Amino acid sequence: MLKKISRSLLCLSLIFLAAGCATRAKHVVDYTAFKQSRPKSILILPPVNTSPDVNATYGMLSQMTYPLGEAGYYVLPVALVDETLKQNGMTNATDIQTIAPAKLNEIFGADAALYVTVSKYGSIYAVLSSAVVVTADAKLIDLKTGGTLWSGTASASSSEGGNSGGGLIAMLVTAAVNQIANNLSDKSHVIAGVTSQRLLSAHQPNGILYGPHSPKYGTD
């Protein structure tokens, strides 16, 4: 019975893996608008959180400045932006992302804004595995025209590179131990950093273009 269940789960994993690869292969970014706009400064708006974890918005927000700075952009200080929005009565990320691009340009003076949605954040327990997963989608919007310059998605998991061998019982025990460890020590902040790097670094397929402060500006 256990062998039958194991074979079924293996088949399902292969099907999901094949579907995931097919989806990524279809995603091709059109950089025409990005190259025409060539933004120099970026405003990061508080991410919308659709995951069950209430820490997702600020956990992800705190990790996104670094990869954009490394890519060569001036990023408005996220703490200053957050406080400015709060002083004007804007505390909900969903409401903030509905502010007109032209109004954001008037208030903050940035060339573009990053709109992010976090769909997964925190521990996920799935019978044979337990891991911390962070998944996010992002769009870069020109604040003068309102047009989309770039969009992307990325995900990271604490189980990447792990060893799934040892049989079904060992996998169940490992999953339970990992679940306890993940609950005791919050790895979400670290995994959010990996997701941000994959989402917003310039040196990768379908990533953002190099900014004006990078020595590689204009080469991509």
Side-chain angles (χ1 to χ4, degrees), residues 96-175:
I96 291 171
Q97 292 197 11
T98 63
I99 299 174
K103 189 65 176 178
L104 291 172
N105 176 257
E106 177 185 331
I107 296 172
F108 296 103
D111 297 323
L114 192 69
Y115 295 69
V116 177
T117 298
V118 183
S119 56
K120 293 180 181 177
Y121 192 95
S123 299
I124 295 177
Y125 183 68
V127 184
L128 293 180
S129 65
S130 177
V132 175
V133 179
V134 177
T135 302
D137 301 316
K139 288 192 303 182
L140 189 65
I141 302 296
D142 188 315
L143 290 184
K144 294 177 182 175
T145 67
T148 300
L149 304 180
W150 168 87
S151 64
T153 184
S155 185
S157 169
S158 62
S159 67
E160 292 175 24
N163 182 9
S164 59
L168 181 60
I169 301 301
M171 293 168 68
L172 287 168
V173 172
T174 301

Side-chain angles (χ1 to χ4, degrees), residues 38-41 71-74 111 209-218:
R38 284 294 183 186
K40 298 179 177 61
S41 56
Y73 294 95
Y74 172 71
D111 297 323
L209 301 180
Y210 287 105
H213 301 295
S214 169
K216 295 183 179 179
Y217 179 62

Side-chain angles (χ1 to χ4, degrees), residues 44-47 57 59-69 75 78 114 116 138 192 196 199-200:
I44 302 176
L45 298 177
T57 291
M60 192 69 189
L61 180 63
S62 65
Q63 296 283 0
M64 293 189 291
T65 298
Y66 180 77
L68 288 174
V75 182
V78 293
L114 192 69
V116 177
S196 296
L199 182 64
L200 302 173

